[in-house]
Amino acid sequence: MSISTPAARNGRRPSVKDVAERAQVSLGTVSNVLNRPDRVSAGTRERVERAMADLGFVLNESARQLRMGRSNTFAYVMLDATNPFFTDVARGIELAAEKADLSLFLCNSDGRDARESAHLAHLQQQRVDGILITPVDPDAPELARITAQGTPLVIVDRANTAGAFCSVTVDDRLGGRVAIEHLVDRGHTRVAYVGGPWSLGQVRERWEGSRAAWDDAGLAEADLIHVATEALSFEEGRIAGERIAGLPRRSRPSAVFCANDLIALGLLQQVVSTGQRVPEDLAIVGYDDIAFAAGAAVPLTSVRQPRQSLGRTAAELLIDEVNNPDHEHQQVEFTPELIARTSTLG
């Protein structure tokens, strides 16, 4: 038998008042069943729960939490949702949030300032307890404004130069250095660094580490070239591969170091599709060591970042900042590791 209720007839969600009327109890009794069930007798509690089930009542948890001054929700604004590196970081954040019984919103700035700003404004309106972000610019004034307005914020995979926030990073200059040192050790004396845009700090710092290692090896400055890309994407890697193949043979590099694995995998595909051999004709090093690197047609040498550890550590810092009145900002830096595979070893 179907019982029509006033809420159902009006096409609205059943309210606490509807439940109280159905169970023939006071609003306070329904509130106690929802929040302090130990204060309600078993028989009354069963009657209220049955009324909830009959009406299809769903507790508005977000409204209840906001009345208490908390949403129990974090958000992560990632730089590029198409890059498996950031989804792995998000997984680490999610694991820490789950352990703390928190929900997690995921947002994608797509590397655009305006989109990042729109996400941040919306998240503040939603009253999230804290924000994790891999920002387009870690020194953007907007980040400081958000914390000044009371929303804790942790920077992931970058660092604010003033140390104004907690941050979790990897030493990208060291990552660039170990990549170039590996190629120099393999006998390469003309190398291309493939990456962009230059506005991304990761791209600049990996280049700076590469240049430092190259200079320390005593090699000619002109023999470490920069092949710029518009994005850190698979397609840009293919385009870069075509550009390198079009260079005069005498100036063509024997190896490339790519600013991330997506570029490296796109370049690898382009090189193999033209009949060239990796690493005999062109050695390739990527960065991040995403899962696809080891499973590529030619397993890819890559600089590994501890992706899930980055996310988990950042989330733990944010949890501490939200809950601990004595919290002090920390800047955590992980050490990258070169994972050598067939694309340079043969």
Side-chain angles (χ1 to χ4, degrees):
M1 180 176 67
S2 174
I3 301 175
S4 178
T5 66
R9 287 197 299 270
N10 293 335
R12 63 176 175 82
R13 293 178 178 176
S15 66
V16 171
K17 183 178 179 181
D18 295 324
V19 173
E21 290 178 354
R22 181 63 171 263
Q24 297 182 332
V25 297
S26 69
L27 290 173
T29 298
V30 177
S31 177
N32 281 335
V33 170
L34 292 171
N35 301 297
R36 296 170 293 275
D38 56 298
R39 297 187 180 183
V40 184
S41 68
T44 301
R45 186 168 65 245
E46 182 181 347
R47 191 163 76 250
V48 171
E49 291 172 346
R50 185 165 58 248
M52 290 178 184
D54 290 344
L55 292 169
F57 172 82
V58 177
L59 175 64
N60 188 338
E61 180 67 17
S62 62
R64 185 178 73 88
Q65 290 171 348
L66 288 174
R67 286 195 298 272
M68 298 170 63
R70 292 284 297 272
S71 68
N72 286 343
T73 301
F74 282 177
Y76 174 41
V77 183
M78 64 181 71
L79 192 68
D80 179 7
T82 66
N83 187 340
F85 168 79
F86 291 110
T87 54
D88 286 345
V89 170
R91 176 61 174 155
I93 294 171
E94 182 183 39
L95 291 172
E98 182 181 24
K99 185 177 180 180
D101 198 24
L102 298 168
S103 298
L104 179 67
F105 290 151
L106 295 178
C107 306
N108 174 34
S109 74
D110 204 27
R112 290 187 278 143
D113 291 306
R115 186 166 178 172
E116 178 180 281
S117 295
H119 281 312
L120 291 173
H122 181 70
L123 292 170
Q124 282 190 289
Q125 292 166 8
Q126 295 296 313
R127 298 293 192 268
V128 297
D129 288 339
I131 297 172
L132 302 112
I133 183 171
T134 303
V136 177
D137 177 7
D139 295 317
E142 183 173 22
L143 303 183
R145 177 184 60 76
I146 287 172
T147 58
Q149 292 174 346
T151 303
L153 182 145
V154 172
I155 296 179
V156 187
D157 196 40
R158 303 301 306 135
N160 175 269
T161 53
F165 316 94
C166 282
S167 64
V168 182
T169 63
V170 172
D171 187 342
D172 281 323
R173 290 184 180 87
L174 177 59
R177 172 178 285 277
V178 298
I180 292 300
E181 287 176 345
H182 174 69
L183 291 174
V184 170
D185 288 345
R186 301 295 298 174
H188 297 283
T189 57
R190 186 167 179 80
V191 173
Y193 173 72
V194 181
W198 212 244
S199 59
L200 294 179
Q202 297 96 321
V203 174
R204 296 193 305 272
E205 291 177 8
R206 291 165 195 175
W207 164 255
E208 290 165 4
S210 300
R211 171 57 66 188
W214 195 258
D215 292 343
D216 288 348
L219 297 168
E221 181 178 346
D223 288 333
L224 179 63
I225 64 173
H226 177 215
V227 178
T229 63
E230 294 184 2
L232 297 174
S233 66
F234 184 90
E235 183 57 31
E236 284 294 313
R238 287 186 57 86
I239 293 170
E242 293 170 354
R243 291 171 59 192
I244 290 171
L247 293 172
R249 183 172 294 276
R250 65 182 180 278
S251 59
R252 196 177 302 161
S254 63
V256 296
F257 167 41
C258 299
N260 79 346
D261 283 346
L262 289 182
I263 288 180
L265 291 169
L267 191 147
L268 174 64
Q269 185 185 82
Q270 194 280 331
V271 168
V272 171
S273 70
T274 59
Q276 298 180 74
R277 299 168 301 161
V278 176
E280 292 83 0
D281 298 319
L282 188 69
I284 303 173
V285 177
Y287 203 105
D288 292 337
D289 195 35
I290 61 176
F292 298 124
V298 179
L300 181 67
T301 293
S302 185
V303 179
R304 175 177 291 171
Q305 300 197 74
R307 303 175 301 281
Q308 287 197 18
S309 294
L310 275 170
R312 185 180 66 253
T313 302
E316 289 170 349
L317 289 173
L318 186 56
I319 291 167
D320 185 71
E321 184 168 356
V322 168
N323 295 314
N324 180 7
D326 298 321
H327 171 85
E328 295 184 0
H329 289 327
Q330 299 179 49
Q331 283 69 50
V332 178
E333 184 175 72
F334 286 94
T335 300
E337 176 188 7
L338 184 95
I339 306 300
R341 299 190 180 99
T342 310
S343 69
T344 58
L345 299 179

